[in-house]
């Protein structure tokens, strides 16, 4: 007020402070009593002189009030909307997603371009020489679990063909992890195997009788080829292995895991590997029959015919430890996992100081196994309803029932082979771990939808076989890199997440894909093993 008195020529000099105070109060009272819209544009002190302007201002006022109400509602909705899914203890509550039309199968138009063409040709002339006229004998131990052994058997047949050698029926080697003593004939139909490939490779059941010291095959360095590199080309066998076979007549190849490449061997050799995998290697009839029974029970769990999903859940303690990824858990749980990793993989563990950064990098790159709760959220976003029947192929899940709870609560119709059968029905298969694995393999292979959660031979063999056999049925391979980014985004809403999941996985449903250098034949057999329909 003092500044105004000095600056304004409109204020009379003899006005007292009391008068100023009264004058200011008068103006405040008058402004307070005026309607608030009199200060808006187009409204003056006298509305009588602007009837048109008053209507326009009222309209503008209404628009402003309506916009404000909408904004308030939107903010309130966003504040109360869950971040992806709302967690209530160990239960996840995800919003409803409408079930899409192509939920259970690939579009028919996308499944008619390719057909399998690696089967044997009936009536063809065999160029396989008699046993005594081949270049010699090769013998391998198929190591690892059932699916790694399956790949080794396919590769052994291919290598025998490359060198024109006789293949001695492979031995399924006891594995330190699996601790199994299964023989080839305990799992596979030997007669069918030998007969189906009779026009491709000479195969014998056992080491020839004239070779007396059988133990020498794997104990003597003179009888073992040990310098085969991983993914070796066909020419390596011709140059380095064949001369030793011709010299010694019988040679063991050790080790033999992934010892034959894909794009560095002739196309007909890759086609032969597909012939072995998809046609020659058949499980025993009793395994096939039990698997068919499990499939039938899965398809009739609702009292009428229903589709079912097979979920390969790779979240065992060994897989979690080997991944070196970080997962949700208590401080004590994380400490126990650190001790486990330090004991099992001391070279990788070192002093543990680098592991946190490594875990973040692996998760960002999508190289960590999906947790059961993450799988549940992804399936719900894809549109699978609560009533979905799910067959779980898995070892003992790390974290037990608490870790499985989010998945089981969101999809309660979740079963394993143990829950589908009686103890007596499975007793005949328990003596061989690989027999139980074979049941899981077949039930997953015949499912309407197959979902993998992490890499491995089991998943890629299933996806490859379903591609080869017709690819009408979906085989979903989640984009774990995208999922990691979405799960870590605190501002992503459910609708955006659903859209990302659906759009991203439209091209990840098991349709044949063009091959590329160093492609994996077992997951994508398109180029060498399939033909244009």
């Amino acid at each position: 007020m003092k500044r105004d008195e000095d600056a304004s020529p409109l204020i009379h000099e003899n006005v007292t402070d009391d008068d100023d105070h009264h004058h200011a109060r008068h103006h405040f009272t008058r402004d307070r009593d005026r309607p608030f819209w009199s200060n808006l544009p187009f409204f003056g002190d006298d509305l009588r002189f602007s009837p048109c302007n008053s209507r326009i201002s009222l309209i503008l006022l209404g628009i402003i009030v309506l916009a404000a109400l909408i904004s308030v509602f939107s903010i309130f909705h966003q504040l109360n909307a869950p971040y992806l899914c709302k967690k209530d203890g160990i239960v996840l509550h995800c919003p409803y997603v409408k079930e899409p039309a192509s939920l259970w199968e690939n579009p028919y138009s996308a499944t008619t371009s390719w057909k399998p063409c690696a089967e044997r040709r009936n009536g063809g002339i065999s160029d396989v020489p008699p046993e005594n006229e081949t270049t010699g004998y090769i013998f391998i131990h198929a190591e690892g679990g059932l699916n790694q052994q399956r790949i080794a058997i396919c590769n052994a047949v291919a290598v025998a063909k490359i060198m024109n050698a006789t293949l001695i029926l492979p031995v399924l080697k006891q594995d330190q992890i699996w601790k199994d003593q299964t023989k080839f004939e305990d799992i596979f139909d030997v007669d069918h195997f030998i007969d189906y490939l009779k026009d491709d490779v000479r195969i014998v059941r056992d080491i020839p009788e004239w070779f007396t010291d059988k133990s020498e095959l794997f104990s003597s360095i003179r009888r073992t080829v040990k310098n085969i590199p991983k993914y070796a080309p066909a020419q390596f066998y011709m140059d380095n292995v064949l001369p030793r076979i011709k010299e010694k007549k019988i040679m063991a190849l050790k080790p033999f895991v992934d010892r034959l490449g894909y794009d560095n061997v002739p196309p007909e050799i890759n086609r032969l590997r597909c012939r072995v995998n998809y046609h020659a290697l058949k499980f025993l009839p009793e395994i096939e029959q039990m698997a068919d029974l499990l499939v039938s029970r899965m398809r009739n769990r609702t009292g009428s015919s229903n589709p079912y999903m097979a979920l390969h859940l790779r979240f065992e303690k060994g897989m979690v430890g080997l991944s070196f990824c970080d997962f949700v858990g208590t401080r004590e749980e994380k400490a126990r996992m650190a001790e486990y990793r330090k004991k099992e993989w001391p070279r990788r563990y070192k002093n543990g100081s680098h592991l946190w950064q490594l875990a973040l990098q692996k998760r960002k790159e999508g190289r960590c196994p999906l947790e059961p709760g993450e799988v549940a959220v992804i399936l719900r976003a894809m549109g699978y309803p609560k009533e979905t029947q799910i067959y779980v192929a898995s070892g003992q899940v790390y974290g037990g029932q608490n870790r499985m709870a989010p998945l089981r609560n969101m999809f309660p119709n979740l079963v394993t082979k143990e829950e589908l059968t009686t103890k007596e029905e499975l007793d005949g298969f328990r003596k061989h771990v690989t027999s139980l694995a074979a049941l899981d393999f077949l039930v997953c292979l015949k499912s309407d939808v197959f979902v993998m959660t992490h890499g491995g031979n089991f998943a890629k063999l299933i996806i490859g076989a379903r591609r080869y056999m017709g690819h009408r049925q979906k085989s979903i391979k989640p984009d774990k890199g995208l999922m990691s980014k979405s799960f870590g985004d605190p501002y992503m809403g459910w609708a955006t997440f659903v859209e990302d999941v659906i759009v991203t996985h439209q091209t990840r449903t098991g349709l044949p894909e063009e091959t590329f250098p160093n492609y994996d034949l077992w997951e994508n057999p398109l180029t060498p093993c399939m033909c244009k329909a």
Side-chain angles (χ1 to χ4, degrees):
M1 290 175 65
K2 177 65 176 174
R3 184 171 60 249
D4 289 342
E5 288 174 2
D6 294 338
S8 177
L10 300 179
I11 298 177
H12 201 275
E13 292 181 0
N14 60 1
V15 176
T16 64
D17 290 343
D18 290 339
D19 291 336
D20 291 340
H21 180 70
H22 175 74
H23 183 70
R25 186 172 59 186
H26 171 73
H27 278 285
F28 173 77
T29 303
R30 188 182 65 181
D31 291 342
R32 184 186 60 188
D33 295 337
R34 291 172 61 188
F36 71 92
W37 57 77
S38 63
N39 292 317
L40 294 174
F42 307 108
F43 284 90
D45 289 334
D46 191 350
L47 299 179
R48 290 174 300 174
F49 298 104
S50 53
C52 180
N53 288 345
S54 67
R55 285 195 297 271
I56 296 175
S57 298
L58 285 172
I59 293 172
L60 288 175
L61 177 62
I63 293 173
I64 293 171
V65 171
L66 181 62
L69 289 173
I70 293 174
S71 299
V72 169
F73 175 79
S74 177
I75 294 172
F76 177 80
H77 176 73
Q78 290 182 14
L79 288 175
N80 286 276
Y83 159 61
L84 298 189
C85 298
K86 185 178 180 181
K87 190 173 183 181
D88 182 12
I90 58 175
V91 180
L92 286 175
H93 299 283
C94 293
Y96 171 78
V97 177
K98 184 179 179 181
E99 184 175 322
S102 58
L103 189 64
W104 290 100
E105 58 186 13
N106 285 314
Y108 178 75
S109 59
T111 64
T112 56
S113 299
W114 297 91
K115 65 178 182 179
C117 60
E119 64 274 9
R120 71 178 180 183
R121 295 173 182 172
N122 294 323
I125 300 175
S126 173
D127 59 353
V128 177
E131 182 180 340
N132 60 352
E133 294 182 14
T134 60
T135 55
Y137 295 82
I138 62 170
F139 180 69
I140 70 148
H141 270 168
E143 302 175 0
L146 173 64
N147 302 291
Q148 187 169 307
Q149 291 171 346
R150 188 184 190 97
I151 291 173
I153 293 167
C154 296
N155 287 342
V157 172
V159 167
K161 180 69 174 179
I162 290 170
M163 298 186 295
N164 196 23
T166 297
L167 174 66
I168 300 170
L169 195 69
V171 170
L172 307 186
K173 186 180 179 182
Q174 297 180 33
D175 188 89
Q176 292 181 351
I177 297 176
W178 288 75
K179 294 181 172 58
D180 197 18
Q181 299 183 16
T182 307
K183 298 178 181 178
F184 191 104
E185 55 268 27
D186 293 329
I187 296 295
F188 300 109
D189 186 333
V190 177
D191 292 333
H192 176 79
F193 178 72
I194 294 175
D195 181 70
Y196 198 89
L197 298 171
K198 64 183 180 181
D199 294 336
D200 296 295
V201 176
R202 182 71 59 193
I203 303 174
V204 295
R205 289 175 176 266
D206 204 352
I207 299 170
E209 292 182 359
W210 55 261
F211 187 79
T212 57
D213 193 0
K214 296 183 180 182
S215 62
E216 185 185 357
L217 270 180
F218 270 86
S219 60
S220 173
I221 194 170
R222 296 182 299 108
R223 291 284 182 184
T224 306
V225 182
K226 291 190 173 183
N227 62 339
I228 304 174
K230 275 199 168 188
Y231 306 111
Q235 195 60 43
F236 177 90
Y237 287 91
M238 297 297 293
D239 296 339
N240 299 278
V241 182
L242 181 57
R244 296 191 64 184
I245 292 177
K246 287 181 176 180
E247 178 190 356
K248 300 291 184 180
K249 291 303 178 184
I250 297 182
M251 292 295 293
L253 310 184
K254 178 185 178 181
F256 199 66
V257 177
D258 296 329
R259 287 316 194 263
L260 185 63
Y262 301 117
D263 56 348
N264 51 8
V265 300
E268 60 270 18
I269 295 299
N270 280 333
R271 193 173 301 113
L272 174 60
R273 292 156 97 178
C274 290
R275 187 172 304 137
V276 179
N277 188 25
Y278 303 130
H279 299 283
L281 276 177
K282 287 184 64 177
F283 292 113
L284 291 176
E286 54 265 34
I287 296 177
E288 297 269 0
Q289 291 166 9
M290 188 64 201
D292 288 340
L293 179 61
L294 292 172
V295 170
S296 175
R297 290 176 181 176
M298 283 302 303
R299 293 199 189 282
N300 294 278
R301 296 197 71 227
T302 61
S304 59
S305 181
N306 59 264
Y308 77 94
M309 173 191 294
L311 175 64
H312 184 220
L313 189 59
R314 297 208 70 188
F315 207 75
E316 306 90 348
K317 182 179 180 179
M319 177 55 60
V320 172
L322 181 60
S323 72
F324 278 83
C325 294
D326 185 62
F327 298 97
V328 175
T330 64
R331 186 173 299 177
E332 293 77 12
E333 190 178 13
K334 291 178 182 291
R336 288 195 299 269
M337 177 53 69
E339 287 298 321
Y340 173 70
R341 287 169 171 166
K342 185 177 181 180
K343 177 184 176 182
E344 296 293 330
W345 302 280
R347 285 188 175 182
R348 290 184 62 186
Y349 188 85
K350 298 178 182 177
N351 61 5
S353 60
H354 68 295
L355 294 182
W356 176 244
Q357 188 63 35
L358 174 65
L360 289 176
Q361 183 66 24
K362 293 189 74 172
R363 186 163 291 280
K364 182 179 179 181
E365 294 173 356
R367 294 191 290 141
C368 293
L370 289 171
E371 296 189 46
E374 293 174 330
V375 175
V377 175
I378 293 172
L379 294 180
R380 179 55 51 84
M382 289 180 177
Y384 290 98
K386 183 178 181 179
E387 298 75 26
T388 302
Q389 304 294 327
I390 301 179
Y391 178 89
V392 179
S394 172
Q396 186 173 359
V397 174
Y398 176 66
Q401 293 302 318
N402 285 342
R403 185 75 67 171
M404 283 291 293
L407 176 60
R408 190 173 288 277
N409 284 315
M410 196 175 296
F411 295 97
N413 297 315
L414 202 72
V415 293
T416 62
K417 57 181 172 294
E418 289 78 11
E419 294 169 306
L420 279 176
T421 58
T422 64
K423 180 180 178 298
E424 292 72 24
E425 286 175 321
L426 280 186
D427 279 345
F429 301 91
R430 294 185 192 279
K431 58 184 178 181
H432 301 302
V433 175
T434 44
S435 295
L436 296 175
L439 292 177
D440 279 340
F441 185 93
L442 289 171
V443 177
C444 289
L445 182 65
K446 298 176 181 182
S447 64
D448 296 277
V449 171
F450 172 71
V451 180
M452 62 174 287
T453 60
H454 198 51
N457 293 322
F458 182 98
K460 68 183 181 183
L461 283 170
I462 292 289
I463 291 176
R466 290 164 68 92
R467 277 180 169 142
Y468 180 80
M469 297 299 182
H471 50 269
R472 184 74 191 274
Q473 300 165 319
K474 280 190 172 183
S475 301
I476 299 174
K477 185 177 181 178
D479 187 337
K480 293 185 293 181
L482 175 70
M483 295 303 98
S484 174
K485 180 180 177 182
S486 299
F487 289 142
D489 185 353
Y491 301 105
M492 177 169 286
W494 176 251
T496 304
F497 176 72
V498 168
E499 183 181 5
D500 285 353
V501 169
I502 291 175
V503 171
T504 301
H505 292 89
Q506 284 177 346
T507 56
R508 301 176 72 90
T509 59
L511 293 173
E513 300 173 0
E514 294 292 341
T515 53
F516 50 86
N518 299 316
Y519 68 93
D520 194 318
L521 175 72
W522 313 114
E523 186 173 338
N524 186 24
L526 175 65
T527 302
C529 306
M530 302 181 73
C531 308
K532 283 284 188 181

